Amino acid sequence: MATIKKDLRILLRDRIGLALMFGMPILLVLIVTSIQNNAFQPFSKNKLLLFVNNKDTGRFSQELIRAIDQIGLFRLEYIGANNSREDILRQMRKKDGLLTVVIPADFSRQVAAAAKEKAGKALHSFGLEGDSGKPVTNEGHAPELLYNPGIESSLKLSIAGALNGAIQMVESRQIIRTIYFSINEKPLPDSLASQMLSSRMNLQEVPVTRGGPVIPLNATQHNVPAWTIFAMFFVVMSLGSGVVREKLNGSFIRLKTLPTNYMIALLSKQITYLGVTFLQAFILFAMGVWLFPYIGLPALSLPRDGAGLVLVTLLCGWCAVSYAILVGTVARTQEQANGFGAVSVVILSIIGGLMIPSFIMPGTFQTAMQLSPLHWALQSYYGLFLEGGKLKDILINVLPLFVITVVIQLTIVAILKRKNLI
């Protein structure tokens, strides 16, 4: 109790450390969740600005624009047909636009010719007479997608796929009209064309959970657990430098003269800072549950297994405290402890998937990821927060985290024995 009281007094005097351990995570969770919340919003609420430069006067260009609008991903803004390429780029820069679709002047003629050619081939394959027309190429006649080079490649591919789908929809509609007219010698009703094109089998989406209810995907469920882990490991700034300070000011030697073991002092530090990490988790989870709805962010849905949440939080905190003591034991100066501790936590966060999704990491980093305790902590939390699992469902993630923590503890003991400190 005396050593715990001593560590609490030291902790309360470390105002900068307290600010880093509590103030920084709160700001990170608020800022990052607010920014990423737009990415998790449905496109009906968060549409991308898409400029449309239509140089074609035919009806197929209007059908293409309607098809693009019906996708639901874009907020269309029109640029006059007489604007040059430089005018379009200037407009994009002026309004921070990322995308512009340029429909060429002969788009409708090319669609009609392509549809006539393909319909003729289809009729010939049926044994019917049809005019296949001249072969058509899209070179120089297809719509162009002007994009800002800074746009993410995955987003650009998704947008290009959606726009190609709209172009194919316009062409397919005209092919059906041409075939229908060739067979029945009368125009195809628009209602029948829409019915033929919309009647298709859709992919069923089934979320994979661990037996619990489906939790809505939002930025809060992703960010609060992740940055809680980051906050826990950032106790290295206070605890790690505190261990070094005791080595430098002679506290180690004085403690060795007392009728006790230095392991008692280490145990008190772990208990004290384990309480700090648990308080960090409580504050951030409470923010997600009660504060976020009042500032327009999705509320945090707590796991159904409360005991599992407490146990995982304690284990994550114990691992973070163990790592901080290890850094303080190895470092020779407070500057080394602070610098190495902060940088190493950031690196472990990146490797562990807190800052960069693990599925996009190259194969060489997949192995390194298995060694990061933050990875197993994150997977344990995600199993509870995102997949609705219980403690028994995430043991495959909890056990590696426990093993890493024990290894860190044994390493601390080995270093202290080598230095004759215990």
Side-chain angles (χ1 to χ4, degrees):
M1 292 301 298
T3 53
I4 291 176
K5 186 176 180 180
K6 180 262 299 182
D7 288 324
L8 283 174
R9 286 181 174 178
I10 294 175
L11 175 63
L12 293 176
R13 293 171 185 170
D14 186 10
R15 297 182 179 179
I16 296 178
L18 289 173
L20 289 173
M21 288 186 292
F22 290 97
M24 182 195 64
I26 290 174
L27 289 177
L28 278 175
V29 169
L30 284 173
I31 294 172
V32 177
T33 305
S34 300
I35 293 174
Q36 291 188 354
N37 186 51
N38 285 335
F40 285 88
Q41 291 286 346
F43 280 109
S44 59
K45 297 181 181 179
N46 186 34
K47 294 183 178 181
L48 294 170
L49 174 61
L50 176 66
F51 291 106
V52 178
N53 178 236
N54 185 14
K55 302 181 182 297
D56 182 75
T57 57
R59 64 187 181 96
F60 293 124
S61 61
Q62 298 301 321
E63 288 188 9
L64 176 60
I65 294 174
R66 285 195 297 269
I68 294 174
D69 190 40
Q70 290 172 0
I71 294 174
L73 304 181
F74 308 108
R75 175 168 52 89
L76 304 184
E77 186 167 324
Y78 298 95
I79 298 177
N82 296 326
N83 285 294
S84 64
R85 179 66 60 87
E86 290 73 20
D87 295 332
I88 296 173
L89 298 179
R90 192 180 303 112
Q91 188 77 357
M92 291 176 65
R93 287 190 290 266
K94 181 180 178 181
K95 296 191 176 182
D96 292 330
L98 299 176
L99 305 161
T100 297
V101 170
V102 179
I103 304 176
D106 59 346
F107 174 74
S108 292
R109 183 178 63 83
Q110 288 294 320
V111 169
K116 185 176 181 181
E117 177 192 2
K118 295 176 182 179
K121 292 180 179 178
L123 290 171
H124 280 298
S125 67
F126 298 154
L128 302 175
E129 294 184 359
D131 184 9
S132 59
K134 298 180 180 180
V136 178
T137 61
N138 289 328
E139 296 182 1
H141 305 286
E144 293 180 327
L145 176 63
L146 308 181
Y147 64 90
N148 189 308
I151 194 172
E152 292 184 3
S153 298
S154 58
L155 178 59
K156 180 174 71 69
L157 289 175
S158 300
I159 293 170
L163 295 178
N164 282 326
I167 296 173
Q168 292 174 5
M169 178 69 71
V170 173
E171 188 175 343
S172 299
R173 184 186 295 270
Q174 182 58 20
I175 291 173
I176 293 174
R177 286 172 178 161
T178 304
I179 294 176
Y180 186 90
F181 184 83
S182 299
I183 296 175
N184 298 281
E185 296 184 353
K186 60 180 180 179
L188 173 68
D190 290 336
S191 59
L192 179 58
S194 299
Q195 183 179 359
M196 294 174 67
L197 290 172
S198 62
S199 298
R200 60 183 183 273
M201 184 178 296
N202 294 320
L203 182 69
Q204 294 185 359
E205 300 180 6
V206 181
V208 179
T209 65
R210 298 179 186 260
V214 177
I215 300 175
L217 180 66
N218 57 60
T220 299
Q221 294 295 126
H222 275 263
N223 282 283
V224 172
W227 292 109
T228 298
I229 298 170
F230 184 80
M232 289 180 180
F233 275 82
F234 232 75
V235 299
V236 68
M237 297 293 291
S238 179
L239 178 53
S241 62
V243 174
V244 175
R245 191 184 310 116
E246 287 187 351
K247 291 192 298 183
L248 296 178
N249 63 19
S251 296
F252 270 12
I253 297 176
R254 291 195 297 273
L255 287 171
K256 289 181 69 174
T257 64
L258 298 177
T260 184
N261 192 308
Y262 184 68
M263 294 301 295
I264 299 296
L266 285 182
L267 181 61
S268 71
K269 294 181 186 297
Q270 295 189 45
I271 294 175
T272 302
Y273 281 87
L274 186 60
V276 170
T277 59
F278 195 81
L279 182 60
Q280 288 174 316
F282 176 80
I283 292 174
L284 295 178
F285 292 163
M287 285 177 52
V289 173
W290 291 301
L291 176 63
F292 279 12
Y294 286 98
I295 59 177
L297 295 174
L300 178 69
S301 298
L302 293 178
R304 57 191 179 121
D305 187 358
L309 176 62
V310 171
L311 183 60
V312 171
T313 300
L314 290 175
L315 184 56
C316 291
W318 186 34
C319 186
V321 170
S322 302
Y323 181 74
I325 294 177
L326 176 62
V327 171
T329 303
V330 174
R332 296 182 178 181
T333 64
Q334 289 183 255
E335 290 77 12
Q336 287 181 358
N338 291 334
F340 176 80
V343 173
S344 63
V345 169
V346 173
I347 293 175
L348 290 173
S349 300
I350 295 173
I351 297 175
L354 270 71
M355 298 183 179
I356 300 176
S358 57
F359 62 84
I360 67 173
M361 292 184 182
T364 54
F365 281 88
Q366 295 292 332
T367 303
M369 181 176 62
Q370 309 298 319
L371 301 177
S372 173
L374 284 84
H375 166 72
W376 298 111
L378 183 64
Q379 294 305 312
S380 299
Y381 267 143
Y382 276 179
L384 296 173
F385 279 92
L386 298 181
E387 300 177 17
K390 294 185 177 181
L391 181 60
K392 62 181 179 64
D393 300 317
I394 59 171
L395 285 178
I396 191 174
N397 299 320
V398 172
L399 290 178
L401 181 62
F402 176 76
V403 171
I404 292 175
T405 305
V406 172
V407 170
I408 294 175
Q409 291 280 336
L410 295 176
T411 305
I412 293 172
V413 173
I415 294 175
L416 291 176
K417 283 187 176 180
R418 190 182 64 183
K419 294 182 178 181
N420 295 321
L421 294 173
I422 59 174

